[in-house]
Amino acid sequence: MVLIVFSLVGGFGGFFYGGVRPGVSSINTAVASELPGFENTVYVNGGSGYGIINGFLIGGGGFGGTLTSESGTMHGELSYSGGFFEVGYIKPLFKFSYGFLTVGSGSVGMTMKLNRVLSDVSFDSLLTDPGRRATLAAGGMCFTAGAGVLFKLSKFFMLGVKVGYLYSPQHPDWKLDDGHQVLGGPEVKLSAPYASINFYFGSSNEE
């Protein structure tokens, strides 16, 4: 793919798969009476792209993933997603391999959907109590830092691995999808470590 040396400019982009570990313990405690709880790792997929100018990177990306939990009375979904603008630095390590560092800022968020599992209902009961589903969301600003290695496998393709951390200084309250605040909800912990496998395509030219 990109012959990344300091006399080159170019760019690369592609997709990735990975895992993120936000704090879900308080959420699991809150739903314990109805659900067995959510896993600690959210498996995500997303995309990212960068331009290269004399070893410096500029670009960004986004990701998202969903956990599920179900019991005989309720189905729950917990989604985690985000998007970032990033800058960084990249340099050759060995033949056909490159190391890079990135820092960035953007936003992350959680969405929780709770669906009551019911049998057939009458129309009159829906008029009395139409509530069968609740969608809650919480999000905020976030900063990210990461490091990784890219391996050039062909002229236009590289495989990479990346690890890093998403830090959010905010602990926002949950809100319903109509904007009303949810009182007494579980604590939202948006900060999380992450790791990903990246598949990139691109090209470069000498300045």
Side-chain angles (χ1 to χ4, degrees):
M1 183 188 162
V2 184
L3 297 176
I4 306 172
V5 295
F6 304 119
S7 62
L8 295 181
V9 296
F12 60 93
F15 59 95
F16 60 85
Y17 298 97
V20 186
R21 293 177 64 88
V24 299
S25 58
S26 59
I27 295 174
N28 285 340
T29 299
V31 303
S33 62
E34 295 282 355
L35 292 170
F38 298 100
E39 297 292 333
N40 291 323
T41 301
V42 184
Y43 294 101
V44 301
N45 59 77
S48 60
Y50 303 91
I52 310 168
I53 303 176
N54 293 332
F56 291 95
L57 297 172
I58 182 169
F63 69 91
T66 300
L67 298 171
T68 61
S69 181
E70 191 165 5
S71 67
T73 59
M74 183 170 289
H75 174 81
E77 294 183 1
L78 183 66
S79 299
Y80 185 80
S81 60
F84 303 94
F85 169 78
E86 292 180 300
V87 296
Y89 188 71
I90 189 165
K91 62 178 295 185
L93 293 178
F94 307 103
K95 188 176 183 180
F96 305 124
S97 65
Y98 312 89
F100 65 94
L101 300 171
T102 60
V103 294
S105 63
S107 63
V108 292
M110 280 187 180
T111 300
M112 182 163 51
K113 296 181 179 180
L114 301 173
N115 301 326
R116 178 66 64 184
V117 177
L118 298 174
S119 58
D120 295 338
V121 296
S122 68
F123 183 77
D124 289 341
S125 70
L126 293 177
L127 294 178
T128 303
D129 182 16
R132 297 291 185 269
R133 173 182 298 180
T135 301
L136 301 76
M141 63 182 295
C142 189
F143 303 97
T144 177
V149 179
L150 298 175
F151 301 94
K152 182 186 174 188
L153 301 183
S154 72
K155 185 176 180 181
F156 297 104
F157 176 69
M158 286 197 299
L159 179 68
V161 292
K162 185 179 181 181
V163 296
Y165 193 78
L166 307 173
Y167 170 70
S168 177
Q170 298 176 300
H171 296 277
D173 294 322
W174 293 100
K175 292 185 178 180
L176 295 173
D177 51 4
D178 63 6
H180 286 87
Q181 185 171 329
V182 178
L183 302 177
E187 182 181 6
V188 181
K189 297 180 181 180
L190 298 174
S191 298
Y194 69 87
S196 65
I197 299 176
N198 307 270
F199 304 86
Y200 285 135
F201 305 86
S203 62
S204 64
N205 297 292
E206 290 193 23
E207 294 185 308

